[in-house]
Amino acid sequence: MIAGDCVITHLLHRMGYLGDGGKCKVMVVDTFHLFPETMEFLKEIEEAYSFKAEIFCAEGIDVNDKAGFDARYGADLWKEDIEQYDKVCKVEPFQRGLKTCETNCMINGRTRWQGFERASIDQFENAPIGGGLAKCNPIAYWTFEDTFDYIAKYKVAHHPLHAQGYPSHGDAKDTIPIPEDGSTKFVDFKFQGDPTPWLDYASERKGRFVGLANKDGSTKTECGIHVAGAEQTFDRDLWEDGAVKNLATPEEAIAVTKSGKASVITVYAPWCQFCQGMEEEMSKFAAEMDGTMDVYKFRGDEVRDFVQKELNTQSFPTVNVVKPDGTVVKYDSEVRTVDAFKKFVEETVGSVTA
């Protein structure tokens, strides 16, 4: 619950939109890496505003079951693969939450003041053609100072870490005070110390994603939830039409590996941005292979133990070539093009004819 979220929640409460019979639901994604104060603060505002938040976390794990998360996904997932961590702990629960809550418009606290990545957002964004949902950004034109002015004026409940020097907060593992010595604080609805390090343009989130980098080496500034298209496929599958064939159950997948025929099985998750990114190329590949080799899709995020054991899958997407003897060979490259897939098939099973 960053400062902008607190303002919006307060506004919704004032309008009578929360709680029983209200028009809005509050959705929270718990990554199992948040500050301990965050979930405790959520309980406080739930009681103050008379609502109950819908909490979503990594698929297959119960709320508050950190030990279960560690056992299934690994306590160091964020160190091993930050993009996969974002998908498992943030993007997929976020999209599942939108679907579960039957969302048609998402209200959030993004502002233009937060930085160039968000500098062109508007107060309202229409749902994109082809899938997705509308977005309402009520404080899109506010500065960070505007946000704290509102909090001070109306004595709005806000995250306790503001009093410890944090202008914003996400995961405890990569969030720091700004300045790092904690000399700027917001205590008893007033700033202590020089507020400039917090209130300057694009400074709100300076303490976020510290020490993290994207796979291309660029500095990480987003977790994936608010990037373009993050909500676009939560309500549809991938490869719904065309030559890619669906394997609906683990039993069907095993049957393909024992069929004595060469084939391709792509293990995917519809919420995964990398799966989405290769959708067109895999469709073209399947069309070119039609009549010579079957190309299958198998949704793996709901049966992770199975795909880890049987289909070489630690992350999504995983493309496998199944040899006639049943051996499942993983395609290890991140070059996901028609030509690259065809080359890998030829290297693995030789030329394939009908």
Side-chain angles (χ1 to χ4, degrees), residues 77 84 304 307-309 311-316 318 330:
L77 177 61
Q84 182 68 7
R304 291 176 187 269
V307 296
Q308 288 173 3
K309 180 181 179 182
L311 296 174
N312 299 320
T313 303
Q314 298 299 321
S315 62
F316 305 112
T318 294
K330 180 179 179 180

Side-chain angles (χ1 to χ4, degrees), residues 178-339:
I178 297 295
E180 291 187 46
D181 62 5
S183 58
T184 300
K185 303 175 182 179
F186 189 73
V187 182
D188 295 330
F189 302 104
K190 295 183 294 185
F191 277 104
Q192 293 183 359
D194 180 9
T196 304
W198 288 23
L199 303 183
D200 275 348
Y201 178 74
S203 294
E204 176 182 349
R205 304 168 76 244
K206 278 185 177 178
R208 300 281 298 278
F209 309 110
V210 174
L212 302 182
N214 298 308
K215 281 188 175 181
D216 62 4
S218 61
T219 300
K220 192 169 186 61
T221 61
E222 295 278 4
C223 67
I225 285 179
H226 291 300
V227 298
E231 83 296 337
Q232 198 163 24
T233 59
F234 80 89
D235 59 352
R236 75 170 182 89
D237 200 4
L238 302 182
W239 299 293
E240 293 180 305
D241 302 308
V244 178
K245 300 178 180 180
N246 184 46
L247 297 173
T249 66
E251 291 74 21
E252 290 183 7
I254 291 296
V256 167
T257 65
K258 294 182 177 180
S259 67
K261 296 168 54 180
S263 61
V264 173
I265 300 178
T266 296
V267 185
Y268 75 102
W271 46 263
C272 168
Q273 60 181 314
F274 302 105
C275 298
Q276 296 166 13
M278 64 175 273
E279 185 175 18
E280 183 177 356
E281 286 296 302
M282 183 57 69
S283 293
K284 292 178 180 177
F285 169 67
E288 290 196 19
M289 300 299 290
D290 194 27
T292 61
M293 176 182 283
D294 289 329
V295 177
Y296 298 98
K297 66 174 183 176
F298 181 74
R299 180 169 180 172
D301 60 318
E302 297 176 337
V303 284
R304 291 176 187 269
D305 291 342
F306 171 77
V307 296
Q308 288 173 3
K309 180 181 179 182
E310 302 291 343
L311 296 174
N312 299 320
T313 303
Q314 298 299 321
S315 62
F316 305 112
T318 294
V319 178
N320 293 297
V321 169
V322 180
K323 300 171 69 173
D325 65 2
T327 303
V328 181
V329 184
K330 180 179 179 180
Y331 176 67
D332 276 323
S333 174
E334 293 187 6
V335 179
R336 302 181 180 114
T337 63
V338 173
D339 290 342

Side-chain angles (χ1 to χ4, degrees), residues 77-194:
L77 177 61
W78 69 274
K79 298 179 183 177
E80 297 162 357
D81 189 335
I82 189 60
E83 293 184 359
Q84 182 68 7
Y85 168 81
D86 284 348
K87 289 185 285 183
V88 167
C89 295
K90 300 179 181 181
V91 177
E92 190 280 331
F94 166 73
Q95 295 183 333
R96 176 161 34 90
L98 293 176
K99 186 173 183 179
T100 301
C101 293
E102 300 180 333
T103 308
N104 51 35
C105 181
M106 180 176 67
I107 306 171
N108 64 80
R110 294 182 303 157
T111 74
R112 294 185 171 196
W113 195 256
Q114 288 166 340
F116 71 91
E117 302 94 340
R118 301 179 176 182
S120 61
I121 64 172
D122 290 316
Q123 288 180 313
F124 189 81
E125 302 171 36
N126 289 322
I129 296 173
L133 49 84
K135 295 180 182 178
C136 180
N137 311 302
I139 60 172
Y141 303 149
W142 286 27
T143 67
F144 204 33
E145 186 171 7
D146 292 333
T147 302
F148 279 102
D149 284 347
Y150 181 96
I151 289 173
K153 179 177 180 178
Y154 293 102
K155 301 296 186 286
V156 175
H158 52 282
H159 201 293
L161 288 183
H162 291 313
Q164 298 180 34
Y166 293 83
S168 184
H169 45 272
D171 284 350
K173 61 182 173 55
D174 52 59
T175 305
I176 63 172
I178 297 295
E180 291 187 46
D181 62 5
S183 58
T184 300
K185 303 175 182 179
F186 189 73
V187 182
D188 295 330
F189 302 104
K190 295 183 294 185
F191 277 104
Q192 293 183 359
D194 180 9

Side-chain angles (χ1 to χ4, degrees), residues 14-26:
R14 289 175 63 189
M15 292 186 291
Y17 284 1
L18 300 179
D20 294 339
K23 297 182 179 180
C24 297
K25 298 177 182 178
V26 176

